[in-house]
């Protein structure tokens, strides 16, 4: 479709203005068809950016290698440009919106020369559903178009729902690498240098402007930018929740179904938990979503969640048939791999895939030939796949996708989980005593920083409240308040119960105490029971912990080890709370809801008793 055919006058004008600014050689409005997807992939193959994979192993799939400066989200180049700096809060980067638009307009000037501008109408959530939101992304990257086809619902049907007057979130994206006359990408991933990358959000006008990066959450603007940063602002204003949460369906041996969501920081195993194969006999887990949940109250007072996405953008390293067979199956065909290794037989490979690589040589994520590894481990810093290498796979290919995953009404949520990577102190599982206690726990989530973000803090514990630190589009103190207010204005007995989990406890030798993965079903089963008014627990100052006989230890985990991970580490908790008091909460100043200090004081008092 061409721009002249657009029936929405506002959209047409916006596209025309973008064309005038960015000067692409041509413009195309995406229709979302399979033919279009195939054409995008072919363009990237012809440009030397994509390698087709062995059709017998991974039919319809390709591998990309990005630029070493463009391998993850860039949090220090991500901005919340609200009118007042105060509204962005202390955890977001802020630039005055007028100033930022001026800087970025200069960058966008002519930025698409030599390229095609693609206009992608997309829906977050099932097309036409009441809960869905429409975005339109302009991009000069066919890689982005192909990924958006998988991750969102794209095309003409979205334009039909938009009609002539419908609301949409306008999203600009340019890789920031115009081409001179006759110039081609020739195998070089197009992007701009780090100090020219901007991932900008304008919460008042609900706009997204991204420049200079072609990777993941920086460039697929439906995901972190719209479904989280902009959606948190909409959710605050409209009384719902937009969260960095997986959604799973769990069925007990009696056939009773519950739905659970879980917030964990990036690369902490949301995808694995969402697709878990239980080791506890008779239990079943199915997937509704693996990264984002939008939740609204139903007429019955319960919270209903939808997954606004249509695909998985999963971390490849560490994914294998043991840790996540369902993810491995999901990306067996029609998938896009980025920054994985390429084997001699045209297959992808990554660290901890479960086996070495066949043949003599392998191509690493930087495009260098290396000896094929005999095992699936590489020394740190010498990985064959980048630690944030990803697969983009359609959700409908997941063998354990729940039949309700596209239900526009959403699924009723019984429990929220919060957690992170914490080697010490935080127990395996712990239930909040009340909604407000749960909000307190969410507000103090800490986790070791992973490779999902370009940061010099990788490996260090940082506070990541609600796993939303990089994704909240407004002041985090107001976000805490929003959670508290939702609790106060609804019947608490109908609200999800809140739990804190930690799969990552380490022993003194640095080894993991808990095996995780499928064995996490033991914890899910206890959570399920707690939501049914059962499940044995003991009340402690930090919440309800399972009694020692409530969760049967997996093979290889001794009773002493269980005791250790289900214990209240009093000195550890005192230190934890002292850190919250001294370093974490003061950041939010007056905006830190006083209710959270009341919780902090009460828990400290009990720990000191
Ligand atoms: C993601 C992230 O890509 O959280 O999902 O970084
Ligand atoms: Mn995520």
């Amino acid at each position: 479709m061409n721009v002249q055919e657009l029936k929405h006058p506002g959209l047409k004008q916006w596209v025309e203005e973008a064309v005038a600014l960015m000067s692409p050689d041509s413009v195309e409005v995406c229709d979302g068809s399979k033919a279009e997807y195939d054409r995008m992939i072919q363009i990237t193959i012809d440009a030397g950016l994509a390698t087709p994979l062995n059709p017998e192993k991974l039919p319809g799939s390709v591998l990309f290698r990005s630029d070493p400066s463009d391998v993850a989200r860039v949090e220090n180049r991500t901005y919340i440009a609200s009118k007042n700096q105060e509204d962005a809060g202390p955890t977001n980067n802020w630039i005055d919106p007028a100033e930022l638009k001026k800087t970025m307009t200069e960058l966008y000037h002519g930025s698409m020369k030599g390229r095609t501008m693609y206009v992608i109408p997309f829906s977050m959530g099932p097309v036409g559903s009441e809960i869905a939101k429409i975005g339109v992304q302009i991009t000069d990257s066919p890689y982005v178009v192909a990924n958006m086809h998988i991750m969102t619902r794209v095309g003409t049907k979205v334009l039909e729902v938009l009609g002539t007057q419908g609301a949409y979130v306008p999203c600009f994206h340019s890789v920031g690498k115009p081409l001179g006359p006759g110039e081609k990408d020739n195998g070089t991933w197009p992007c701009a240098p780090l100090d020219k990358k901007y991932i900008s959000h304008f919460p008042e006008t609900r706009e997204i402007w991204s420049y200079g990066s072609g990777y993941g959450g920086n460039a697929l603007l439906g995901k972190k930018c719209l479904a989280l940063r902009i959606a948190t602002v909409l959710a605050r204003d409209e009384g719902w929740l937009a969260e960095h949460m997986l959604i799973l369906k769990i069925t007990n041996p009696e056939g009773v179904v519950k739905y659970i969501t879980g917030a964990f920081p990036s690369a902490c195993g949301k995808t694995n938990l969402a697709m878990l194969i239980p080791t506890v006999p008779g239990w079943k887990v199915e997937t509704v979503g693996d990264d984002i949940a939008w939740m609204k109250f139903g007429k019955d007072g319960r919270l209903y969640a939808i997954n606004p996405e249509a695909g998985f953008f999963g971390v490849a390293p560490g994914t294998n048939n043991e840790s996540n067979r369902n993810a491995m199956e999901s990306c067996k065909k029609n998938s896009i791999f980025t920054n994985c290794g390429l084997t001699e037989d045209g297959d992808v490979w990554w660290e901890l895939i479960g086996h070495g690589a066949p043949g003599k040589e392998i191509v690493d994520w930087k495009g260098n030939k290396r000896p094929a590894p005999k095992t699936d481990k590489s020394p740190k810093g010498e990985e064959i796949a980048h630690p944030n290498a990803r697969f983009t796979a359609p959700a409908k290919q997941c063998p354990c996708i729940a039949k309700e995953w596209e239900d526009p009404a959403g699924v009723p949520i019984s429990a929220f989980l919060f957690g992170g990577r914490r080697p010490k102190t935080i127990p395996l599982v712990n239930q909040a005593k009340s909604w407000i206690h749960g909000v307190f726990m969410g507000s103090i989530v800490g986790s070791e920083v992973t490779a999902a973000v370009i940061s010099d803090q990788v490996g260090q514990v940082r506070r990541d409240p609600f796993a939303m630190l990089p994704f909240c589009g407004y002041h985090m103190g107001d976000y805490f308040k929003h959670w508290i207010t939702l609790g106060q204005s609804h019947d608490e007995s109908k609200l999800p119960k809140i739990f804190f989990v930690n799969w990552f406890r380490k022993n003194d030798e640095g080894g993991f105490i808990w095996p995780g993965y499928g064995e996490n079903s033991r914890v899910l089963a206890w959570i399920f029971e707690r939501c049914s008014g059962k499940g044995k627990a003991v009340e402690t100052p930090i919440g309800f912990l399972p009694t020692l006989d409530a969760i049967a230890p997996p093979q290889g985990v001794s009773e002493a080890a269980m005791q250790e991970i289900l214990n209240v580490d009093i000195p550890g908790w005192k230190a934890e709370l002292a850190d919250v008091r001294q370093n974490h909460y003061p950041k939010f100043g007056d905006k830190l809801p006083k209710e959270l200090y009341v919780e902090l004081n009460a828990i400290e008092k009990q720990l000191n008793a």
Side-chain angles (χ1 to χ4, degrees):
M1 190 196 257
N2 67 41
V3 182
Q4 294 319 314
E5 290 169 78
L6 284 171
K7 297 209 173 66
H8 188 298
L11 175 59
K12 185 158 163 271
Q13 190 185 339
W14 174 71
V15 174
E16 281 166 352
E17 282 168 11
V19 171
L21 174 63
M22 300 176 196
S23 314
D25 281 7
S26 55
V27 190
E28 259 182 50
V29 180
C30 297
D31 63 13
S33 64
K34 165 89 170 62
E36 180 176 270
Y37 177 87
D38 291 345
R39 194 159 48 82
M40 293 302 121
I41 295 293
Q42 194 55 49
I43 290 171
T44 59
I45 293 171
D46 295 345
L49 296 171
T51 308
L53 294 164
N54 183 339
E56 274 164 29
K57 289 181 181 290
L58 296 161
S61 303
V62 286
L63 170 70
F64 286 82
R65 289 182 205 105
S66 75
D67 185 89
S69 76
D70 203 23
V71 291
R73 288 184 292 99
V74 280
E75 288 180 8
N76 64 352
R77 307 293 310 166
T78 299
Y79 297 92
I80 301 297
S82 43
K83 282 200 185 111
N84 299 316
Q85 180 164 9
E86 170 79 352
D87 294 335
T91 55
N92 284 313
N93 301 312
W94 178 85
I95 297 179
D96 173 76
E99 183 190 325
L100 184 56
K101 281 196 168 172
K102 185 162 176 282
T103 307
M104 290 189 73
T105 301
E106 277 162 29
L107 291 170
Y108 282 133
H109 195 99
S111 72
M112 292 192 183
K113 279 201 182 127
R115 299 190 184 275
T116 298
M117 173 191 279
Y118 302 98
V119 180
I120 316 171
F122 64 95
S123 174
M124 300 311 289
V127 179
S129 129
E130 285 221 355
I131 221 167
K133 300 272 176 213
I134 290 177
V136 182
Q137 176 167 350
I138 278 171
T139 183
D140 51 5
S141 162
Y143 168 84
V144 165
V145 177
N147 274 270
M148 287 293 283
H149 264 242
I150 298 178
M151 294 306 298
T152 73
R153 285 114 174 145
V154 167
T156 315
K157 52 195 190 289
V158 178
L159 289 178
E160 279 159 17
V161 171
L162 198 59
T164 56
Q165 301 298 323
Y168 64 96
V169 175
C171 312
F172 278 169
H173 173 249
S174 170
V175 293
K177 177 76 181 69
L179 295 169
E183 197 190 347
K184 299 232 156 45
D185 284 323
N186 252 336
T188 303
W189 174 270
C191 66
L194 206 51
D195 65 344
K196 292 275 181 310
K197 295 193 208 296
Y198 287 88
I199 321 298
S200 306
H201 308 74
F202 302 92
E204 284 93 2
T205 49
R206 281 99 158 100
E207 288 168 285
I208 298 163
W209 286 21
S210 167
Y211 180 89
S213 165
Y215 200 86
N218 299 331
L220 314 179
L221 302 184
K223 192 174 183 59
K224 303 301 178 182
C225 301
L226 195 162
L228 288 174
R229 299 193 191 97
I230 293 294
T232 49
V233 175
L234 303 173
R236 174 199 62 192
D237 295 350
E238 298 166 7
W240 52 282
L241 292 168
E243 300 298 327
H244 192 206
M245 287 180 172
L246 67 98
I247 312 167
L248 65 82
K249 173 183 178 185
I250 178 163
T251 309
N252 77 358
E254 285 72 50
V256 181
V257 171
K258 290 193 190 300
Y259 298 92
I260 296 176
T261 63
F264 301 85
S266 308
C268 284
K270 281 197 299 301
T271 306
N272 295 341
L273 188 63
M275 298 179 191
L276 158 155
I277 300 174
T279 53
V280 194
W283 290 74
K284 189 166 159 195
V285 166
E286 291 161 275
T287 311
V288 177
D290 80 325
D291 195 41
I292 299 176
W294 284 356
M295 289 171 283
K296 296 197 174 167
F297 286 94
K299 289 202 181 69
D300 59 359
R302 295 193 67 187
L303 258 186
Y304 286 76
I306 68 153
N307 169 14
E309 301 190 278
F312 309 124
F313 182 63
V315 179
T319 308
N320 59 53
N321 282 330
E322 294 298 313
S323 66
N324 195 340
R325 195 188 323 144
N326 288 315
M328 294 298 280
E329 290 297 322
S330 305
C331 61
K332 274 255 155 74
K333 56 182 181 190
N334 310 324
S335 294
I336 297 173
F337 296 88
T338 312
N339 290 341
C340 301
L342 175 65
T343 65
E344 276 180 3
D345 59 353
D347 202 348
V348 285
W349 188 95
W350 49 73
E351 277 66 25
L352 303 184
I353 195 170
H355 50 78
K360 288 207 176 61
E361 286 183 327
I362 190 163
V363 184
D364 70 11
W365 71 273
K366 291 183 179 157
N368 298 321
K369 283 204 173 142
R370 309 245 305 254
K374 297 278 168 288
T375 73
D376 70 355
K377 292 177 194 63
S378 305
K380 210 172 164 16
E382 291 172 37
E383 289 88 355
I384 282 162
H386 185 276
N388 192 41
R390 300 277 180 148
F391 56 85
T392 319
K396 61 174 187 276
Q397 288 184 185
C398 179
C400 64
I401 199 79
K403 68 177 185 328
E404 301 80 358
W405 86 279
E406 296 198 275
D407 186 343
V411 294
I413 302 302
S414 297
F416 289 144
L417 315 186
F418 293 120
R421 291 178 183 262
R422 295 300 300 270
K424 299 278 172 221
T425 303
I426 312 297
L428 176 65
V429 58
N430 172 25
Q431 183 187 355
K433 296 182 191 178
S434 61
W435 178 264
I436 179 70
H437 180 212
V439 175
F440 168 77
M441 298 204 308
S443 77
I444 68 166
V445 168
S447 190
E448 289 174 343
V449 177
T450 67
V453 39
I454 296 178
S455 164
D456 49 16
Q457 290 180 319
V458 171
Q460 293 170 31
V461 172
R462 73 168 178 184
R463 296 273 164 216
D464 188 349
F466 292 77
M468 284 292 278
L469 182 72
F471 306 124
C472 183
Y474 60 100
H475 196 299
M476 200 119 220
D478 288 335
Y479 168 89
F480 299 156
K481 186 75 196 159
H482 178 55
W483 268 80
I484 293 172
T485 311
L486 283 190
Q488 286 166 342
S489 54
H490 290 86
D491 176 352
E492 188 161 336
S493 70
K494 294 190 180 156
L495 292 175
K497 309 258 178 297
I498 303 180
F499 298 81
F500 211 99
V501 297
N502 179 21
W503 322 129
F504 300 94
R505 279 287 284 269
K506 287 190 176 161
N507 54 28
D508 292 339
E509 289 74 54
F512 287 111
I513 301 178
W514 179 256
Y517 304 110
E519 299 292 11
N520 292 339
S521 56
R522 293 170 195 270
V523 176
L524 292 182
W526 182 77
I527 290 169
F528 184 109
E529 310 257 276
R530 293 295 293 167
C531 295
S532 318
K534 296 185 229 145
K536 287 205 261 172
V538 26
E539 185 166 351
T540 77
I542 59 166
F544 294 108
L545 264 72
T547 53
L548 274 178
D549 58 349
I551 297 180
Q555 225 187 358
V557 181
S558 67
E559 266 190 42
M562 284 303 281
Q563 216 151 13
E564 189 181 340
I565 57 181
L566 290 176
N567 184 31
V568 184
D569 164 10
I570 296 190
W573 272 100
K574 284 187 183 168
E576 179 81 8
L577 298 184
D579 179 59
V580 168
R581 188 180 288 287
Q582 279 156 28
N583 304 314
H584 180 47
Y585 275 1
K587 286 195 290 250
F588 305 103
D590 293 350
K591 294 258 194 189
L592 200 279
K594 59 181 182 328
E595 292 88 339
L596 295 181
Y597 274 119
V598 173
E599 287 298 309
L600 176 61
N601 293 342
I603 300 170
E604 270 186 339
K605 199 164 151 210
Q606 288 178 51
L607 286 169
N608 285 325

